[in-house]
Amino acid sequence: MNAQLARARAFLTSDLQSDRVVPPSGFTARLTVFSAAAMAFLAVFALALSFAAGRLADRWSDALAQSATIRVSAPEDQQERQVQAVLAVLETTPGIASARELPADETQALLAPWFGPDLPIETLPIPALIEVVEEGTGFDPEGLRLRLQAEAPGAVLDDHDRWRRPLVAAAGRMRLVAVASLVLIGAATAAMITLAAQAALAANGQVIRVLRLVGAHDRYIAQAFVRRFTLRAAGGAAAGTALAALMLALVPSVETGSFLTGLGFQGGEWLWLPLLPVLGGAVALAATRAAALRALKGLM
Amino acid sequence: MIELENVSYGYGGGELLTEMSLKLAPGSFHFLTGPSGAGKTTFLKLLYAELLPSAGRVTVFDQSVRGLGRDEIAELRRRIGVVHQDCQFLDHLSVAENVALPLLVADRPIDTRELVELLGWVGLKGQMDALPPELSGGERQRAALARAVIMGPDVILADEPTGNVDWEMSQRLLHLLVELNRMGKTVVIATHDMNLIRSAKAQVAARVLRIKGRRLHLAGADL
């Protein structure tokens, strides 16, 4: 462990003399820093999208999973009897914490967005609504449906499953898209850094040949390039991450539960951001090392 | 120290060197001569493993070159100092940094006093901070010689070290190589300059090898 730490420290603080062996390369340096910054910027948004989609899925799932509604539509003379029968059935159903019939004013409030506040619901054949709150483990919807059919034929159970399932699936799919974007961003970063490293290696073919001729090991030559590209990529990624984080922090935070206003990081999610420059550096390290060793193989 | 057994080398369908055999004893001094394009540089490259023979066996320090890994070849080159015909410097580094390059890549400490002393020995103390393109042909060859010896190698291979210098400078370089041989180093100089070989005969017991018709011959009687 100590040896690995010492190697990591030596990699980061390698003496300038060995760095000078490879001449500075302006174009590839700028290309690497810019690519890493742009990719980290995009990665922050993909990460934010992933977290936002996850939160949305959880919210939709939680909000709808703990409740159900029973609608009772029966002839006027049977309505009250069937409502009472449903409430009696619910009292003896395991997994139900509470159940209540929505009073007329709440039913009216529910319909107000469509019919206005002055709807005379007493005169209309509107079904009775019973709100059911589940206990932690939930109830058996199929068993309850069978019992309701026997006791109150006009009662229909809506456990919100048909609403909840596509919403949660959509949010999950969105999260998958975000994760796939992150993977693609990582691969594109690796490809760009590989190209930049190959350009640098080709431009320094004579330097590499001389180093081999005077007895340099492959890892010494590779490291001169790897260190340079890793630090550039990590630096670029840090700048891109910081800029994206700043922009996300400036998105107005409104407690509407909307997807757009929820796009960002919350709590411990911010801790993922410092990892992006580290990951950028790791991708650059692996890509440059592979390119350098491949280039060296062609040289005795 | 270095042994070639029936070594051939060819590329692009043709054979450049054919069935060459040679033993370089420790402390020996050899000239390698032959017309331009005869394969002198290729022959030297076989000795420090920049090329592998297409047939036969090259043994360096009791190790067959063919079986060596890349790191082992690098280690082997640290024991062989090479003065390349075109010097092979890193133009962005100073003369002193170029000369110290073998120490740097081998992760060995660089003793500045010894480095200055070595540059003084080849007459380049005043140019140690200069860049290679600023040096004359003779200065470049002397800097290349300093780099070749900085690791204290057992063998020194010089490829046309006097190719681009005047007679006086070639004598100076020859003198340095003879001095190294007297210190016990094995020296091989590839040259087509017969005057250089004749003048060396007065200073050192040298064998002369000639590449002719793709084969290696022992010469000398005709010098």
Side-chain angles (χ1 to χ4, degrees):
Chain A
M1 188 65 181
N2 283 340
Q4 281 171 330
L5 279 176
R7 267 172 47 199
R9 195 182 312 131
F11 179 79
L12 289 171
T13 60
S14 171
D15 66 299
L16 290 172
Q17 190 129 33
S18 62
D19 261 13
R20 270 177 50 76
V21 164
V22 179
S25 45
F27 170 69
T28 53
R30 285 194 294 274
L31 182 66
T32 311
V33 172
F34 175 75
S35 303
M39 288 300 165
F41 187 87
L42 295 176
V44 169
F45 282 97
L47 202 58
L49 177 68
S50 168
F51 283 127
R55 280 195 301 271
L56 203 60
D58 291 344
R59 193 182 309 142
W60 283 339
S61 194
D62 289 347
L64 298 175
Q66 294 299 310
S67 66
T69 308
I70 296 172
R71 197 174 65 245
V72 183
S73 300
E76 198 177 351
D77 57 329
Q78 294 176 29
Q79 177 90 333
E80 187 52 30
R81 190 192 61 75
Q82 288 204 21
V83 167
Q84 292 310 316
V86 169
L87 289 171
V89 166
L90 291 174
E91 266 178 31
T92 58
T93 303
I96 289 177
S98 64
R100 68 181 181 102
E101 182 184 6
L102 288 191
D105 57 332
E106 284 188 37
T107 306
Q108 189 162 25
L110 282 175
L111 295 172
W114 290 273
F115 299 105
D118 302 323
L119 182 73
I121 57 170
E122 312 80 31
T123 60
L124 295 171
I126 291 174
L129 294 176
I130 297 171
E131 182 190 59
V132 179
V133 178
E134 297 176 24
E135 280 179 346
T137 52
F139 61 87
D140 168 20
E142 288 313 310
L144 181 59
R145 275 195 187 96
L146 288 173
R147 290 182 65 200
L148 289 176
Q149 208 173 356
E151 302 291 333
V156 176
L157 170 66
D158 179 0
D159 61 358
H160 304 160
D161 192 50
R162 68 192 166 112
W163 305 105
R164 189 175 61 199
R165 204 188 295 271
L167 286 175
V168 172
R173 205 65 61 79
M174 206 181 290
R175 190 174 206 177
L176 201 66
V177 167
V179 171
S181 302
L182 278 172
V183 172
L184 284 176
I185 287 168
T189 307
M192 279 188 245
I193 289 174
T194 299
L195 286 175
Q198 277 175 345
L201 288 160
N204 289 293
Q206 176 63 8
V207 173
I208 293 170
R209 182 165 182 266
V210 171
L211 291 173
R212 273 299 291 173
L213 289 176
V214 298
H217 287 180
D218 283 356
R219 64 175 173 277
Y220 179 92
I221 301 170
Q223 182 145 321
F225 289 92
V226 167
R227 182 173 181 277
R228 196 171 279 196
F229 276 86
T230 302
L231 295 182
R232 280 175 193 162
T241 302
L243 186 62
L246 184 69
M247 291 185 77
L248 277 177
L250 292 177
V251 171
S253 175
V254 185
E255 286 301 323
T256 59
S258 138
F259 179 72
L260 271 180
T261 53
L263 188 64
F265 298 96
Q266 291 178 0
E269 290 169 3
W270 286 99
L271 294 176
W272 281 84
L273 294 188
L275 280 181
L276 287 178
V278 178
L279 285 173
V283 167
L285 189 147
T288 315
R289 189 177 158 74
L293 292 180
R294 212 168 32 242
L296 281 164
K297 263 189 184 165
L299 208 65
M300 268 300 284
Chain B
M1 183 159 277
I2 297 183
E3 188 174 354
L4 279 71
E5 297 171 76
N6 298 317
V7 167
S8 298
Y9 181 80
Y11 52 83
E15 198 161 73
L16 184 62
L17 306 174
T18 304
E19 291 188 356
M20 293 185 162
S21 294
L22 174 71
K23 267 188 188 176
L24 292 180
S28 60
F29 197 113
H30 287 79
F31 281 104
L32 176 67
T33 186
S36 287
K40 298 189 291 292
T41 300
T42 303
F43 182 86
L44 291 184
K45 284 182 176 177
L46 288 166
L47 301 187
Y48 62 86
E50 192 180 351
L51 295 175
L52 291 177
S54 42
R57 179 186 171 93
V58 177
T59 307
V60 183
F61 307 126
D62 300 322
Q63 294 171 293
S64 170
V65 166
R66 193 172 289 281
L68 295 179
R70 294 181 62 80
D71 282 355
E72 289 168 313
I73 286 176
E75 297 290 338
L76 176 144
R77 287 180 184 157
R78 293 175 187 179
R79 297 178 64 186
I80 301 176
V82 183
V83 181
H84 299 274
Q85 194 171 3
D86 50 0
C87 295
Q88 303 278 7
F89 289 127
L90 300 186
D91 287 346
H92 66 287
L93 298 184
S94 70
V95 169
E97 286 171 321
N98 267 289
V99 169
L101 194 58
L103 291 172
L104 185 67
V105 303
D107 203 20
R108 291 195 194 165
I110 297 169
D111 185 326
T112 312
R113 194 181 53 79
E114 282 180 18
L115 179 61
V116 172
E117 201 175 303
L118 177 63
L119 286 166
W121 179 68
V122 294
L124 289 175
K125 205 185 268 186
Q127 283 90 349
M128 58 189 294
D129 293 324
L131 294 175
E134 296 166 3
L135 300 183
S136 69
E139 288 170 335
R140 286 171 68 84
Q141 293 291 353
R142 281 182 282 148
L145 181 60
R147 189 181 65 186
V149 301
I150 198 164
M151 293 284 281
D154 302 307
V155 180
I156 294 158
L157 309 175
D159 189 4
E160 300 282 7
T162 60
N164 297 313
V165 297
D166 58 28
W167 175 250
E168 195 182 330
M169 184 55 69
S170 70
Q171 289 302 301
R172 196 167 163 189
L173 282 164
L174 177 65
H175 180 71
L176 292 173
L177 288 161
V178 169
E179 248 185 79
L180 288 165
N181 179 248
R182 286 184 185 141
M183 291 176 199
K185 313 291 183 194
T186 303
V187 176
V188 179
I189 303 173
T191 182
H192 61 270
D193 185 350
M194 302 311 280
N195 288 330
L196 182 76
I197 298 173
R198 287 189 194 106
S199 76
K201 285 279 190 178
Q203 302 175 48
V204 66
R207 289 176 78 195
V208 181
L209 307 166
R210 173 173 289 164
I211 299 177
K212 194 177 176 188
R214 302 201 305 265
R215 290 177 185 275
L216 191 65
H217 303 272
L218 185 62
D222 54 340
L223 292 171

